[in-house]
Each structure stands twice: as C-alpha cells, then as structure tokens.
Amino acid sequence: MRIGVVGTGYVGLVTGTCFADSGNTVTCLDINAAKIARLERGEVPIYEPGLEELVERNVKAGRLRFTTDAAASIREADVVFLAVGTPPCADGSADLSALWKVVDTIALQLRPDTIVVTKSTVPVGTCAGIEQRLEARTGRMCRVASNPEFLKEGAAIEDFQKPDRVVVGVRTKEVGEILRSLYAPFLRTENPFLVMSPESSEMTKYVANSLLATKISFINEVANLCERMEADIDDVRRGIGHDSRIGFAFLFPGAGYGGSCFPKDVQALAAMARDKGVVPRILTAVHDTNLAQKQVLGAKIDSWFGGDLAGKRVAIWGLAFKPRTDDIRDAPAIDLIDGLLAAGASVRVHDPEAIDNVRAVYGERLEYAATPLDTLDAADCLAIVTEWGDYRRPDFDEMARRMRQRLIFDGRNLYPPAELKARGFSYHAIGKQPV
C-alpha cells in the first residue's frame, strides 16, 4: 500500500517507519526542510530506542523516503495519515491551526479514493470538520477516518508493532476493512481491531490518557498524605494493587507527570467538557494536583535548608519527563530547576539523553555533568527526578566521598530507606517517612 504521513515529529516518524517496515511504501512529508535534510542523511531528530536502525533499514530498502513536496507525495498515496502537532491554547483547548493548514494543502492533491486518517490527538468532531473542509475545497465527499495512537515514549516501536488494540473511527465498513488490512501484520496474536465512529475514536484517545493521568495524580496525593500519617506508600500500593479491580499500573508515586500527552490531553478534554456545559471537576483536580506535585521535591529541599538555598549546590539526576526519551516537555525536572535557580542555588545536572535539550533552554545557567557521579562533587544534596536505570545501582560509598552532605531527595523512590540510613545518608522519598 502507498502511504503518506504528514508530519515527521514523534508520532509521524514512528508511524511511517513501522508501516514501511511491514512492507508498505511510505513517504513522510514535512514543511521543515532542515528536518527533512537531516532525515535524508540518516539523522533521526528524536531519541527513541530502535528507531534510528529501523529508519536506516527501510530507507535502504527503498520503502521509506522523506520530502517537502506535498503534491507528489499526496497524489501517490492510498492512505494519508495526519500527524501534526496539536499544542494547547491558553485555555487548555487544542490548537488545530497546523492541522487545518495541512488539510488545505492536501485537499487538491487527493485522489477520490484516498483515505485521510487523523493520527494526531484531536478534539471530538475534528474528523467531521475535516470532511466538511475537504468537501468545500474539492467539491466531493472525501473519506476521512480517525486512528488515535497509544504509543509510550521509550517503547514506541514495540507498542506500534505489538499493540494491545488498534482503534479506528470510520463512516463506512469499506474504509474500516482497508485500515484493518493495513494493520493486519501487527495483529497476528489476535489483539482487537476496534471499529467505531470517528467521534468515539477521538474521545477514546483523550479518555485513555486522562484516566492514566488520574491514577498518577491520585497515588501522588495519597503519597503526600502517607507522609503526614506515618504510613508507607509502597505498603499501601501493594495493599491495593493486588485487588484485581485496581492493579499496579500507573500507581507509582513520584514527582508528577509530564511529556507531550498527559498534560495537554487532560486540559483539552476539560476544555471540551466546559464547551459542552459539563463541569470537569475530576479533570481539573487531576491537572491541579499534578501541578502541585511538581513542586513537592523542591519544597522538601527548601524546607531542609530552612528556606535559604542561596549558594547551595544541588545535583540533579534525570531531566527527561520519563526514562528512555530525551523529551523534556512539561518535565518535573524543569519545575525543580526553575525553583532552585530562582532561590539562588547552583545546579549541576545529568541525564543520559536529555542534556542537549536542557542546555538549549538554560545555556550556561546550569552545569552539565558527563556522568551521574560527576554531578556530586561538593554537592549539598542530590535530587532524583527521572528513574533511569543508570541511577538504580550507584556506588554509594563514592557518592558519600564526593558530596558535601549525604543528603538525597528521591522523587522516584529508587532506594530502600533502611539501606540509605545505614550508609549514613539522610533520605527523603515520596510517600515515606524521611530517614
């Protein structure tokens, strides 16, 4: 099948590459000529494990190419996936301006039988809006479908190639069957291909992300309560997680969630609710709770030093919003860094992948370490914000030798408190009593 993918960001690049790897001919289109030039040179602009190798293999096989030529790439396509950004507006609603520009660009290039599929996360009713817009520009009804992505950064290739389900929203059975055949190579283990209306499909994406975000905010709020009631959040988590109605997924307390999806999708769903006259009480609480949780680690540090961080040296392990990605969008580490700098602290940071992205934001206002241990020289404390594997088994003796104070604020609960206490560290985690 000949596939066009509009947008070479995270979703578009993973989608196009995985479809090419299953034997399709894929053209990825972007208006950013510099990005396309990099991709043509084999340089992948994002960090995603396995993606660079997959791109290289499919480019060499002639199944994957990159272009800025909209006319040629769209005219050839049997299916066109729209994977452009939908960032939040000031009121939390999704900004669809880039999407509408793309729709206008491709309208006169579409063949009558081409299927246009929204892969971007878009508000309910967007597919209907695309149908109307295309009809106004082409004079005919065009086939438009919804196919939300459920990719986890850091595991996107596996998620695409081995999905737990594929959701499509279509108007006709024929379009559903075409998309089913496209996804057939990835559904050989009988995982479900779910067909519904475009409106239900669009809603499914927002509800999935918002429910996962709700679980995170809930367990974080409970963790904060545990600290004040001499309970241990890990004991509580085990006590509830073995209930089959609850489970353990996304019930890990921490420094708050970030990334490109959860923050904006919770706000966008709340904005849709308000637009329809529904008060989004839970969604609003989820978002507000997360904003507050991002301040918890900084507040612990500030309290320990009596509100005087001027001249203190703080080491930070982990900058990306989660492991196995270089994405720092809405990352809790950014909130922590901003607070520390505002209070007059000096900050030295480490992350296996996100250093360059953070350097682009802060420049020389931070110190950048090549290894985790290098952040600790003369440090008054260490803050752990991202649970990279690099940080799980450190040399505690070497840490103690390098640090000015044996003081750790752990935003991801990586270590047993009793072990840290035995090694002479003061250890402050989330939802646990400090030792």
Side-chain angles (χ1 to χ4, degrees):
M1 196 173 293
R2 294 167 299 180
I3 297 172
V5 178
V6 184
T8 57
Y10 186 85
V11 173
L13 191 54
V14 170
T15 297
T17 303
C18 288
F19 276 138
D21 202 54
S22 65
N24 300 287
T25 300
V26 179
T27 300
C28 291
L29 170 69
D30 203 294
I31 60 173
N32 188 328
K35 182 187 287 189
I36 292 298
R38 288 186 63 188
L39 287 165
E40 289 179 326
R41 293 194 301 267
E43 301 173 9
V44 175
I46 58 173
Y47 175 74
E48 176 62 37
L51 182 58
E52 186 171 348
E53 296 82 358
L54 210 60
V55 168
E56 180 181 8
R57 180 168 77 228
N58 285 281
V59 168
K60 285 183 177 179
R63 292 189 298 265
L64 179 63
R65 69 185 185 95
F66 305 97
T67 185
T68 57
D69 186 351
S73 57
I74 301 303
R75 284 196 201 108
E76 297 171 356
D78 301 307
V79 181
V80 174
F81 286 88
L82 307 183
V84 297
T86 56
C89 297
D91 64 354
S93 62
D95 181 355
L96 299 184
S97 57
L99 180 70
W100 297 132
K101 287 180 182 178
V102 166
V103 171
D104 292 342
T105 298
I106 70 173
L108 298 181
Q109 314 301 333
L110 291 173
R111 301 198 318 264
D113 60 342
T114 300
I115 301 171
V116 176
V117 184
T118 56
K119 200 69 175 171
S120 304
T121 301
V122 293
V124 178
T126 300
C127 271
I130 294 173
E131 291 168 349
Q132 295 167 7
R133 204 172 182 106
L134 289 176
E135 183 180 11
R137 281 154 179 75
T138 64
R140 65 176 185 271
M141 284 296 296
C142 296
R143 303 196 290 182
V144 180
S146 167
N147 174 217
E149 53 86 15
F150 300 100
L151 306 177
K152 299 187 295 292
E153 292 192 39
I157 301 298
E158 183 174 6
D159 284 349
F160 196 100
Q161 295 180 335
K162 299 176 182 179
D164 51 15
R165 85 288 199 195
V166 172
V167 174
V168 298
V170 298
R171 301 291 184 204
T172 67
K173 182 178 180 180
E174 179 188 7
V175 171
E177 290 305 312
I178 292 171
L179 294 178
R180 186 191 299 271
S181 68
L182 183 59
Y183 274 103
F186 309 114
L187 297 172
R188 299 179 65 187
T189 55
E190 303 301 323
N191 284 350
F193 182 84
L194 304 176
V195 181
M196 58 190 71
S197 71
E199 290 75 19
S200 293
S201 174
E202 291 163 340
M203 179 64 89
T204 296
K205 167 65 176 180
Y206 280 107
V207 172
N209 278 353
S210 295
L211 184 55
L212 296 175
T214 299
K215 294 183 73 174
I216 296 171
S217 281
F218 176 80
I219 201 67
N220 281 337
E221 189 166 277
V222 171
N224 296 337
L225 182 59
C226 283
E227 290 183 21
R228 290 158 176 77
M229 304 190 74
E230 299 187 6
D232 187 309
I233 189 59
D234 278 345
D235 291 339
V236 174
R237 186 178 60 83
R238 287 192 295 269
I240 64 173
H242 286 289
D243 187 324
S244 61
R245 298 168 299 177
I246 298 173
F248 286 98
F250 287 81
L251 286 183
F252 292 90
Y257 61 74
S260 64
C261 293
F262 287 6
K264 77 178 182 68
D265 290 354
V266 169
Q267 293 179 80
L269 186 56
M272 281 185 268
R274 287 190 293 268
D275 187 58
K276 297 297 182 182
V278 176
V279 180
R281 295 180 180 87
I282 292 177
L283 294 169
T284 300
V286 167
H287 178 65
D288 291 346
T289 298
N290 188 60
L291 292 180
Q293 192 68 20
K294 289 182 179 183
Q295 306 303 316
V296 165
L297 206 57
K300 288 176 181 286
I301 297 172
D302 186 69
S303 177
W304 174 270
F305 290 106
D308 183 11
L309 288 171
K312 297 294 188 293
R313 293 183 61 87
V314 180
I316 294 180
W317 285 0
L319 303 170
F321 84 93
K322 62 178 286 188
R324 294 170 61 86
T325 181
D326 61 355
D327 194 343
I328 61 170
R329 286 174 288 184
D330 281 311
I334 302 302
D335 291 68
L336 177 60
I337 291 170
D338 288 344
L340 292 172
L341 292 178
S346 62
V347 181
R348 181 179 290 176
V349 300
H350 176 270
D351 189 283
E353 296 296 336
I355 284 286
D356 288 343
N357 289 339
V358 168
R359 194 193 305 270
V361 175
Y362 291 97
E364 299 309 310
R365 288 187 288 161
L366 304 179
E367 298 177 41
Y368 305 92
T371 70
L373 286 174
D374 286 345
T375 66
L376 302 179
D377 293 332
D380 291 293
C381 69
L382 166 65
I384 303 172
V385 194
T386 313
E387 63 272 33
W388 285 96
D390 306 53
Y391 309 143
R392 289 187 179 276
R393 303 238 184 271
D395 184 337
F396 289 111
D397 292 335
E398 180 64 17
M399 290 173 65
R401 282 192 290 271
R402 293 200 182 204
M403 298 180 72
R404 185 177 293 157
Q405 300 185 53
R406 298 184 184 186
L407 177 59
I408 298 175
F409 296 90
D410 186 353
R412 298 299 172 184
N413 292 7
L414 297 188
Y415 311 129
E419 179 182 350
L420 271 292
K421 183 178 181 180
R423 292 178 177 274
F425 283 88
S426 180
Y427 181 67
H428 303 253
I430 304 295
K432 296 174 175 287
Q433 301 306 301
V435 297

